[in-house]
Amino acid sequence: MGVEIIFKIAAIGILTAMINTILKKADKDEIATLTTIAGLILVLLIVLDMLVQLFDTIRALFGI
Amino acid sequence: MNIFQIIAIGIISAILITLLKETKPELAIILGVAAGVIIVILVVDELYEIVASFYEIVEMTGIGGEIFTTVLKIIGIGYITEFAANICADAGCKSVGDKILFAAKVVIMILSLPVIKGLLSLIVEILP
């Protein structure tokens, strides 16, 4: 829990951007959009998991 | 809780967000959410101690425990909705954030109604 998650997300973002440009050069645009969506879903899963953990701790803490 | 670690995380994620902004704007928003969550989780342990000491103060002074739990709920709701409203503002849709804040005000008003009623009934009793 710390900086490595932020670096992981940034790496995924940069990777998907690169893969996108490569695939676009090889004019396979539909696969490019697929990789963008895949990268987005992967990052969303990581962050949603952290959000759930945060909301549970806040709920337990404040008794909401 | 090391304040320098938090500052470092904040600056690094700010830089990475601007880096991601032009190629992948949606990932920049998610990175902002992740940075916010990490910083808050790092500080939550201290929050536990603060709330525990508040509970001791309430028991020591004999203030109504029920009132204090309501106040605690209101603080928690206020914090979480402000967290979500800021994320919406970062993402560029400030109107959604304002709707969340409006809903939070309604919920807080509902929570505080019994406390207000108790206070007013107390005042009515005191007045001749």
Side-chain angles (χ1 to χ4, degrees):
Chain A
M1 181 52 79
V3 197
E4 71 274 4
I5 292 180
I6 291 182
F7 286 137
K8 204 192 296 179
I9 294 174
I12 292 174
I14 293 164
L15 266 175
T16 42
M18 265 195 326
I19 291 171
N20 248 353
T21 47
I22 294 167
L23 282 174
K24 281 205 175 71
K25 286 289 177 305
D27 42 280
K28 288 196 168 55
D29 285 356
E30 62 285 357
I31 300 180
T33 48
L34 281 179
T35 47
T36 313
I37 294 170
L40 188 66
I41 288 174
L42 197 61
V43 170
L44 260 179
L45 284 178
I46 299 173
V47 174
L48 283 182
D49 182 36
M50 286 162 48
L51 258 179
V52 166
Q53 185 193 348
L54 171 73
F55 284 165
D56 282 346
T57 43
I58 295 285
R59 173 178 291 151
L61 179 62
F62 290 106
I64 298 171
Chain B
M1 193 274 286
N2 181 349
I3 190 68
F4 296 112
Q5 182 189 2
I6 290 169
I7 291 172
I9 289 177
I11 291 172
I12 289 168
S13 48
I15 293 166
L16 288 176
I17 285 169
T18 43
L19 172 72
L20 270 173
K21 227 175 191 92
E22 77 277 352
T23 52
K24 284 266 172 284
E26 67 278 5
L27 285 187
I29 297 167
I30 297 176
L31 190 57
V33 172
V37 168
I38 286 175
I39 289 177
V40 169
I41 284 181
L42 278 177
V43 187
V44 154
D45 304 338
E46 273 65 31
L47 267 180
Y48 268 107
E49 284 164 32
I50 293 171
V51 170
S53 55
F54 266 119
Y55 269 117
E56 281 155 26
I57 292 169
V58 164
E59 271 138 30
M60 198 168 54
T61 54
I63 308 171
E66 186 259 330
I67 294 173
F68 175 67
T69 47
T70 316
V71 168
L72 214 57
K73 279 202 183 100
I74 289 173
I75 293 172
I77 288 174
Y79 166 69
I80 283 286
T81 43
E82 189 258 343
F83 183 88
N86 283 339
I87 291 173
C88 293
D90 276 356
C93 33
K94 194 163 182 343
S95 60
V96 176
D98 292 345
K99 296 299 179 299
I100 294 177
L101 285 176
F102 169 72
K105 289 190 182 87
V106 169
V107 170
I108 285 174
M109 182 46 86
I110 287 173
L111 268 177
S112 57
L113 272 184
V115 178
I116 294 172
K117 272 195 201 128
L119 184 66
L120 289 180
S121 59
L122 198 68
I123 293 172
V124 165
E125 276 159 29
I126 292 171
L127 289 180

